[in-house]
Amino acid sequence: PLASDSFAGERQRNSLELLQLLPIHPLSIFWGKVLALIPIPLFFLVFSEFVFAKMLAESSFVYLWKTLWMGFCSTNLFTVIALLVSLYAKSARAANQISLLFFFMAFFFFQMGSSFYLSNAFAPLWLGLLTLLADILMTFFAVRRFRKL
């Protein structure tokens, strides 16, 4: 919700133009918003993973590491998707609803591939590379869209 609200909410409250008038480079505003969004979901990810690991007495370190890495990759991917949607949506509510559609599709694909991911030794590497590539590509389009606003 924070990422979906970041630009669409500013536009809805008519404060995006004020941000762009500040004597700061526009990319500094963009990256400031991006970097401010990432720590909150990562904190909850790490917290929930360690609570989950504590509940499972026989969980191994490899299982914990793989699920933590999958959560990290998906958290970054979801944040970038919501940010990109926020740049195109007219309102914060629309951005939240559209982002949720993408999240449910991504959760479905992550769930379908989870058994393969947990059993394959190279799957974390491929997941990291694919999400990094998707993050870079979507961030490129987000920066282009932000410059047009």
Side-chain angles (χ1 to χ4, degrees):
L2 292 175
S4 298
D5 186 51
S6 61
F7 291 107
E10 295 280 352
R11 187 179 308 117
Q12 190 175 356
R13 292 183 294 273
N14 293 326
S15 58
L16 187 60
E17 293 83 12
L18 293 174
L19 275 177
Q20 291 174 333
L21 290 174
L22 290 173
I24 300 172
H25 195 274
L27 286 179
S28 298
I29 295 170
F30 177 83
W31 287 112
K33 282 187 166 287
V34 170
L35 294 175
L37 292 171
I38 294 200
I40 295 168
L42 288 181
F43 169 76
F44 286 110
L45 166 72
V46 171
F47 178 74
S48 62
E49 282 289 328
F50 282 107
V51 167
F52 179 67
K54 199 73 164 155
M55 291 170 45
L56 297 176
E58 65 273 351
S59 65
S60 67
F61 177 74
V62 173
Y63 184 73
L64 176 66
W65 178 84
K66 281 187 170 185
T67 56
L68 195 60
W69 179 248
M70 180 185 254
F72 176 76
C73 290
S74 62
T75 298
N76 286 334
L77 184 66
F78 294 158
T79 302
V80 172
I81 288 171
L83 189 72
L84 186 61
V85 168
S86 176
L87 283 164
Y88 284 94
K90 299 293 181 196
S91 68
R93 185 175 184 181
N96 278 325
Q97 291 174 347
I98 294 168
S99 295
L100 283 174
L101 290 174
F102 284 110
F103 295 163
F104 285 131
M105 288 189 302
F107 279 134
F108 176 75
F109 288 120
F110 276 118
Q111 186 64 32
M112 295 302 291
S114 63
S115 60
F116 172 76
Y117 173 79
L118 292 172
S119 63
N120 190 327
F122 293 106
L125 177 66
W126 286 109
L127 178 70
L129 289 174
L130 287 174
T131 54
L132 179 65
L133 180 65
D135 287 346
I136 290 171
L137 188 65
M138 284 188 283
T139 303
F140 172 75
F141 286 117
V143 167
R144 284 186 57 193
R145 175 68 179 166
F146 182 70
R147 287 184 176 177
K148 290 179 183 180
L149 292 179

